[in-house]
Amino acid sequence: MPTPPSLRLAGQHALVTGASSGIGVAVAKALAAHGASVIVNYGHDTDGANAVVKDITDAGGQALAYQADVSQEAQVQAMFQQAIEHFGGLDIVVSNAGLQVDAPFVDMTLAQWQKVIDVNLTGQFLVLREAARQFMKQGVRPDVSKAAGKIICMSSVHEVIPWAGHVNYATSKGGIMQLMKSVAQELAPHKIRVNSIGPGAIKTPINHDAWATPEAEAKLLTLIPYDRVGEPEDIGQLAAWLVSDEADYITGQTIFIDGGMTLYPGFATGG
Ligand code: NAD
Protein backbone atom coordinates (compact mmCIF):
# COMPACT_ATOMS: atom_id res chain seq x y z
CA MET A 1 0.00 0.00 0.00
CA PRO A 2 1.38 3.51 -0.77
CA THR A 3 2.43 5.66 2.20
CA PRO A 4 -0.37 8.09 3.11
CA PRO A 5 0.53 11.69 2.03
CA SER A 6 0.41 12.80 5.67
CA LEU A 7 3.44 10.59 6.37
CA ARG A 8 5.31 11.08 3.12
CA LEU A 9 8.58 11.69 5.07
CA ALA A 10 8.23 8.76 7.47
CA GLY A 11 11.57 7.35 8.60
CA GLN A 12 13.55 10.33 7.26
CA HIS A 13 15.88 12.58 9.23
CA ALA A 14 16.04 16.32 8.66
CA LEU A 15 18.14 19.29 9.71
CA VAL A 16 16.66 22.80 9.49
CA THR A 17 18.89 25.82 10.13
CA GLY A 18 17.51 28.95 11.78
CA ALA A 19 14.53 26.98 13.05
CA SER A 20 13.94 28.95 16.27
CA SER A 21 11.90 31.66 14.53
CA GLY A 22 9.65 32.47 11.58
CA ILE A 23 9.87 30.36 8.43
CA GLY A 24 12.31 27.84 9.96
CA VAL A 25 9.81 27.00 12.72
CA ALA A 26 7.05 26.29 10.19
CA VAL A 27 9.40 24.20 8.04
CA ALA A 28 10.60 22.13 11.02
CA LYS A 29 7.01 21.52 12.15
CA ALA A 30 5.79 20.65 8.64
CA LEU A 31 8.60 18.12 8.11
CA ALA A 32 7.84 16.58 11.52
CA ALA A 33 4.10 16.49 10.76
CA HIS A 34 4.94 14.49 7.63
CA GLY A 35 6.89 11.96 9.70
CA ALA A 36 10.51 13.21 9.65
CA SER A 37 12.61 13.57 12.79
CA VAL A 38 14.18 17.04 12.92
CA ILE A 39 17.30 18.80 14.20
CA VAL A 40 16.15 22.30 15.12
CA ASN A 41 19.25 24.45 14.58
CA TYR A 42 19.35 27.90 16.15
CA GLY A 43 21.81 30.76 16.50
CA HIS A 44 21.08 32.29 19.92
CA ASP A 45 17.42 31.78 20.81
CA THR A 46 17.52 28.67 23.03
CA ASP A 47 13.99 29.25 24.35
CA GLY A 48 12.61 29.59 20.81
CA ALA A 49 14.31 26.37 19.68
CA ASN A 50 13.19 24.46 22.78
CA ALA A 51 9.60 25.61 22.21
CA VAL A 52 9.72 24.19 18.66
CA VAL A 53 11.10 20.89 19.95
CA LYS A 54 8.35 20.75 22.58
CA ASP A 55 5.61 21.44 20.02
CA ILE A 56 6.95 18.68 17.76
CA THR A 57 7.37 16.10 20.54
CA ASP A 58 3.98 17.01 22.08
CA ALA A 59 2.47 16.21 18.68
CA GLY A 60 4.15 12.77 18.74
CA GLY A 61 7.19 13.65 16.59
CA GLN A 62 10.94 13.59 17.24
CA ALA A 63 13.14 16.69 17.43
CA LEU A 64 16.36 17.94 18.97
CA ALA A 65 17.60 21.53 19.38
CA TYR A 66 21.19 22.28 18.38
CA GLN A 67 23.00 25.62 18.66
CA ALA A 68 25.43 26.49 15.87
CA ASP A 69 26.35 29.64 13.96
CA VAL A 70 25.99 28.69 10.28
CA SER A 71 28.73 31.12 9.26
CA GLN A 72 31.34 29.22 11.33
CA GLU A 73 32.86 26.20 9.57
CA ALA A 74 33.81 24.25 12.72
CA GLN A 75 30.37 24.75 14.26
CA VAL A 76 28.57 23.59 11.11
CA GLN A 77 30.78 20.51 10.85
CA ALA A 78 30.23 19.66 14.53
CA MET A 79 26.47 20.05 14.09
CA PHE A 80 26.35 17.63 11.14
CA GLN A 81 28.51 15.12 13.01
CA GLN A 82 26.18 15.35 16.01
CA ALA A 83 23.04 15.06 13.86
CA ILE A 84 24.37 12.00 12.03
CA GLU A 85 25.46 10.32 15.25
CA HIS A 86 22.09 11.06 16.83
CA PHE A 87 19.90 9.83 13.96
CA GLY A 88 22.29 7.42 12.26
CA GLY A 89 21.90 9.32 8.97
CA LEU A 90 20.43 12.38 7.32
CA ASP A 91 17.99 12.67 4.39
CA ILE A 92 16.82 16.30 4.27
CA VAL A 93 18.64 19.58 4.87
CA VAL A 94 16.84 22.92 4.78
CA SER A 95 19.38 25.74 4.78
CA ASN A 96 17.11 28.50 6.04
CA ALA A 97 19.07 30.72 8.45
CA GLY A 98 19.37 34.29 7.25
CA LEU A 99 19.28 37.91 8.33
CA GLN A 100 19.09 41.49 7.13
CA VAL A 101 21.39 44.38 8.05
CA ASP A 102 19.94 47.28 6.09
CA ALA A 103 21.60 50.55 5.11
CA PRO A 104 21.62 52.96 2.18
CA PHE A 105 24.32 51.76 -0.20
CA VAL A 106 26.63 54.77 0.24
CA ASP A 107 26.46 54.43 4.04
CA MET A 108 26.86 50.64 4.18
CA THR A 109 29.91 49.63 6.17
CA LEU A 110 32.12 46.71 5.24
CA ALA A 111 31.02 45.04 8.50
CA GLN A 112 27.31 45.33 7.48
CA TRP A 113 28.09 43.93 4.03
CA GLN A 114 30.25 41.13 5.42
CA LYS A 115 27.82 40.03 8.14
CA VAL A 116 25.03 39.38 5.63
CA ILE A 117 27.30 37.64 3.13
CA ASP A 118 28.82 35.51 5.90
CA VAL A 119 25.48 34.24 7.24
CA ASN A 120 23.26 34.27 4.13
CA LEU A 121 25.75 33.05 1.51
CA THR A 122 28.84 31.52 3.14
CA GLY A 123 26.51 29.87 5.68
CA GLN A 124 24.65 28.23 2.78
CA PHE A 125 27.95 27.03 1.29
CA LEU A 126 29.05 25.48 4.58
CA VAL A 127 25.71 23.77 5.21
CA LEU A 128 25.30 22.50 1.62
CA ARG A 129 28.84 21.12 1.54
CA GLU A 130 28.36 19.07 4.73
CA ALA A 131 24.97 17.85 3.49
CA ALA A 132 26.46 16.81 0.14
CA ARG A 133 29.35 14.96 1.78
CA GLN A 134 26.94 12.96 3.95
CA PHE A 135 24.43 12.23 1.17
CA MET A 136 27.20 11.01 -1.16
CA LYS A 137 28.54 8.76 1.59
CA GLN A 138 25.07 7.30 2.28
CA GLY A 139 23.89 6.83 -1.31
CA VAL A 140 20.31 5.96 -2.19
CA ARG A 141 18.40 3.85 0.32
CA PRO A 142 15.31 2.83 -1.68
CA ASP A 143 13.32 1.94 1.44
CA VAL A 144 13.67 5.59 2.60
CA SER A 145 13.56 7.76 -0.56
CA LYS A 146 14.24 7.70 -4.29
CA ALA A 147 16.99 10.33 -3.73
CA ALA A 148 20.20 9.99 -1.76
CA GLY A 149 19.36 13.32 -0.16
CA LYS A 150 17.34 16.47 -0.59
CA ILE A 151 18.53 20.05 0.01
CA ILE A 152 16.47 23.24 0.10
CA CYS A 153 18.11 26.67 0.16
CA MET A 154 15.88 29.40 1.58
CA SER A 155 16.35 32.12 -0.98
CA SER A 156 13.96 35.03 -1.64
CA VAL A 157 12.18 36.89 -4.41
CA HIS A 158 15.25 39.14 -4.06
CA GLU A 159 17.32 36.59 -5.92
CA VAL A 160 15.67 38.24 -8.97
CA ILE A 161 14.11 41.50 -7.68
CA PRO A 162 16.67 44.25 -6.99
CA TRP A 163 16.24 45.91 -3.58
CA ALA A 164 17.46 49.44 -2.88
CA GLY A 165 18.61 49.90 0.70
CA HIS A 166 19.23 46.16 1.03
CA VAL A 167 22.11 45.65 -1.40
CA ASN A 168 23.94 43.17 0.84
CA TYR A 169 20.79 41.05 1.27
CA ALA A 170 19.80 41.05 -2.42
CA THR A 171 23.39 40.18 -3.38
CA SER A 172 23.42 37.25 -0.96
CA LYS A 173 20.16 35.89 -2.41
CA GLY A 174 21.37 36.37 -6.00
CA GLY A 175 24.46 34.41 -5.00
CA ILE A 176 22.33 31.62 -3.56
CA MET A 177 20.73 31.17 -6.99
CA GLN A 178 24.02 30.27 -8.69
CA LEU A 179 25.24 28.33 -5.65
CA MET A 180 22.08 26.23 -5.70
CA LYS A 181 22.06 25.67 -9.48
CA SER A 182 25.76 24.84 -9.73
CA VAL A 183 25.62 22.46 -6.78
CA ALA A 184 22.45 20.86 -8.19
CA GLN A 185 24.21 20.28 -11.52
CA GLU A 186 27.24 18.74 -9.80
CA LEU A 187 25.26 16.51 -7.44
CA ALA A 188 22.46 15.29 -9.73
CA PRO A 189 24.45 12.21 -10.87
CA HIS A 190 24.70 11.27 -7.18
CA LYS A 191 20.88 11.37 -6.93
CA ILE A 192 20.99 14.40 -4.66
CA ARG A 193 18.28 16.99 -5.32
CA VAL A 194 19.03 20.66 -4.63
CA ASN A 195 16.38 23.37 -4.95
CA SER A 196 15.54 26.78 -3.55
CA ILE A 197 12.38 28.26 -2.16
CA GLY A 198 11.99 31.95 -2.98
CA PRO A 199 9.48 33.46 -0.55
CA GLY A 200 7.88 36.84 -1.13
CA ALA A 201 6.66 38.75 1.93
CA ILE A 202 6.00 36.32 4.79
CA LYS A 203 4.92 37.47 8.27
CA THR A 204 7.98 36.84 10.46
CA PRO A 205 10.18 38.94 12.78
CA ILE A 206 12.66 39.68 9.94
CA ASN A 207 10.18 42.08 8.24
CA HIS A 208 7.93 42.90 11.22
CA ASP A 209 7.76 46.62 10.45
CA ALA A 210 6.52 45.92 6.90
CA TRP A 211 3.25 44.26 8.04
CA ALA A 212 2.73 45.05 11.74
CA THR A 213 0.39 48.04 11.28
CA PRO A 214 -2.64 48.25 8.93
CA GLU A 215 -0.95 51.15 7.07
CA ALA A 216 2.29 49.21 6.55
CA GLU A 217 0.38 46.08 5.47
CA ALA A 218 -1.73 48.08 2.97
CA LYS A 219 1.47 49.49 1.43
CA LEU A 220 3.04 46.03 1.26
CA LEU A 221 -0.09 44.61 -0.41
CA THR A 222 0.38 46.95 -3.39
CA LEU A 223 3.31 44.65 -4.26
CA ILE A 224 1.27 41.43 -3.92
CA PRO A 225 -1.37 40.74 -6.63
CA TYR A 226 -2.87 37.87 -4.61
CA ASP A 227 -3.69 40.47 -1.92
CA ARG A 228 -2.48 38.74 1.23
CA VAL A 229 0.82 38.64 3.06
CA GLY A 230 2.21 35.11 3.28
CA GLU A 231 2.32 33.01 6.45
CA PRO A 232 5.26 30.81 7.52
CA GLU A 233 3.00 27.76 7.09
CA ASP A 234 2.74 28.51 3.34
CA ILE A 235 6.48 27.86 3.16
CA GLY A 236 6.39 24.84 5.50
CA GLN A 237 3.87 23.02 3.30
CA LEU A 238 5.90 23.68 0.14
CA ALA A 239 9.13 22.50 1.80
CA ALA A 240 7.53 19.24 2.99
CA TRP A 241 6.33 18.49 -0.54
CA LEU A 242 9.55 19.58 -2.29
CA VAL A 243 11.68 17.14 -0.25
CA SER A 244 9.21 14.29 -0.74
CA ASP A 245 9.42 11.67 -3.49
CA GLU A 246 6.37 13.33 -5.09
CA ALA A 247 8.85 16.01 -6.24
CA ASP A 248 11.56 13.49 -7.18
CA TYR A 249 12.15 14.90 -10.70
CA ILE A 250 12.68 18.48 -9.51
CA THR A 251 16.25 19.68 -9.06
CA GLY A 252 18.09 22.96 -9.67
CA GLN A 253 14.92 25.07 -9.44
CA THR A 254 13.80 28.03 -7.41
CA ILE A 255 10.12 27.78 -6.55
CA PHE A 256 8.84 31.29 -5.91
CA ILE A 257 6.03 31.42 -3.36
CA ASP A 258 5.03 35.05 -3.29
CA GLY A 259 1.37 35.71 -4.12
CA GLY A 260 2.54 37.04 -7.46
CA MET A 261 5.20 39.49 -6.24
CA THR A 262 7.50 38.42 -9.09
CA LEU A 263 4.77 39.18 -11.68
CA TYR A 264 5.80 42.87 -11.97
CA PRO A 265 2.52 44.05 -10.34
CA GLY A 266 3.19 47.63 -11.49
CA PHE A 267 2.34 46.44 -15.02
CA ALA A 268 -1.11 45.09 -14.02
CA THR A 269 -2.73 48.26 -15.31
CA GLY A 270 -0.89 48.30 -18.59
CA GLY A 271 2.46 49.79 -17.51
P1 NAD B 1 13.58 35.20 11.23
O1 NAD B 1 14.41 36.36 11.65
O2 NAD B 1 12.29 34.96 11.93
O3 NAD B 1 14.41 33.86 11.28
C1 NAD B 1 15.77 33.79 10.92
C2 NAD B 1 16.38 32.61 11.61
O4 NAD B 1 17.77 32.52 11.23
C3 NAD B 1 16.35 32.75 13.12
O5 NAD B 1 16.03 31.50 13.68
C4 NAD B 1 17.78 33.13 13.47
O6 NAD B 1 18.17 32.75 14.77
C5 NAD B 1 18.54 32.34 12.42
N1 NAD B 1 19.90 32.80 12.24
C6 NAD B 1 20.34 34.07 11.93
N2 NAD B 1 21.68 34.09 11.89
C7 NAD B 1 22.09 32.82 12.17
C8 NAD B 1 23.36 32.20 12.26
N3 NAD B 1 24.49 32.90 12.07
N4 NAD B 1 23.42 30.87 12.55
C9 NAD B 1 22.29 30.16 12.75
N5 NAD B 1 21.08 30.69 12.69
C10 NAD B 1 20.97 32.01 12.40
O7 NAD B 1 13.31 35.42 9.67
P2 NAD B 1 12.57 34.50 8.59
O8 NAD B 1 11.71 35.42 7.82
O9 NAD B 1 11.97 33.29 9.20
O10 NAD B 1 13.81 34.13 7.65
C11 NAD B 1 14.16 32.79 7.33
C12 NAD B 1 14.77 32.76 5.93
O11 NAD B 1 13.76 33.13 4.99
C13 NAD B 1 15.92 33.75 5.73
O12 NAD B 1 16.91 33.15 4.93
C14 NAD B 1 15.27 34.89 4.97
O13 NAD B 1 16.18 35.62 4.18
C15 NAD B 1 14.24 34.13 4.14
N6 NAD B 1 13.17 34.95 3.62
C16 NAD B 1 12.23 35.51 4.45
C17 NAD B 1 11.21 36.27 3.89
C18 NAD B 1 10.13 36.92 4.73
O14 NAD B 1 9.33 37.68 4.18
N7 NAD B 1 10.03 36.63 6.03
C19 NAD B 1 11.16 36.46 2.51
C20 NAD B 1 12.13 35.89 1.71
C21 NAD B 1 13.13 35.12 2.27
Side-chain angles (χ1 to χ4, degrees):
M1 231 176 62
T3 310
S6 60
L7 288 177
R8 54 165 79 102
L9 305 177
Q12 300 197 41
H13 309 302
L15 187 155
V16 183
T17 68
S20 59
S21 170
I23 288 173
V25 173
V27 170
K29 287 185 182 177
L31 299 183
H34 287 279
S37 46
V38 185
I39 300 285
V40 175
N41 161 254
Y42 66 101
H44 300 290
D45 183 4
T46 310
D47 289 346
N50 286 339
V52 177
V53 169
K54 185 173 184 315
D55 283 351
I56 291 174
T57 49
D58 283 356
Q62 282 185 21
L64 186 76
Y66 191 94
Q67 193 275 329
D69 180 338
V70 297
S71 68
Q72 299 299 315
E73 184 176 33
Q75 292 186 34
V76 172
Q77 290 179 329
M79 173 170 68
F80 271 82
Q81 200 179 341
Q82 189 70 35
I84 292 154
E85 271 171 27
H86 184 76
F87 289 144
L90 208 50
D91 308 286
I92 297 161
V93 170
V94 182
S95 185
N96 165 77
L99 47 72
Q100 286 179 218
V101 184
D102 306 330
F105 179 58
V106 291
D107 298 330
M108 188 173 285
T109 64
L110 178 59
Q112 289 173 322
W113 167 268
Q114 198 65 56
K115 177 73 181 171
V116 172
I117 297 298
D118 283 352
V119 174
N120 290 15
L121 188 55
T122 306
Q124 294 269 350
F125 159 70
L126 293 170
V127 168
L128 264 58
R129 191 184 58 175
E130 292 314 306
R133 286 173 173 168
Q134 177 60 22
F135 295 158
M136 285 171 75
K137 206 185 297 174
Q138 278 178 191
V140 177
R141 294 168 298 158
D143 53 322
V144 174
S145 174
K146 290 177 181 169
K150 286 88 58 165
I151 295 171
I152 293 177
C153 304
M154 202 55 70
S155 183
S156 165
V157 289
H158 294 296
E159 80 169 42
V160 293
I161 300 179
W163 205 14
H166 311 259
V167 166
N168 45 4
Y169 183 85
T171 303
S172 73
K173 297 300 184 181
I176 289 173
M177 177 176 65
Q178 282 297 351
L179 171 72
M180 178 278 289
K181 285 177 187 267
S182 302
V183 173
Q185 193 185 62
E186 192 165 330
L187 298 184
H190 300 279
K191 293 275 177 222
I192 298 168
R193 295 197 295 113
V194 189
N195 293 288
S196 286
I197 291 177
I202 310 298
K203 287 186 178 177
T204 76
I206 208 173
N207 58 358
H208 180 262
D209 293 349
W211 51 264
T213 65
E215 298 75 35
E217 185 161 357
K219 191 165 165 236
L220 183 58
L221 286 173
T222 64
L223 300 173
I224 309 172
Y226 201 61
D227 205 31
R228 79 168 168 88
V229 182
E231 300 290 342
E233 291 70 26
D234 290 313
I235 311 300
Q237 292 305 321
L238 173 58
W241 174 78
L242 191 53
V243 298
S244 78
D245 279 356
E246 290 173 23
D248 184 60
Y249 207 45
I250 302 178
T251 194
Q253 303 303 313
T254 297
I255 315 280
F256 290 107
I257 172 164
D258 64 357
M261 193 178 250
T262 43
L263 296 176
Y264 298 96
F267 281 78
T269 51

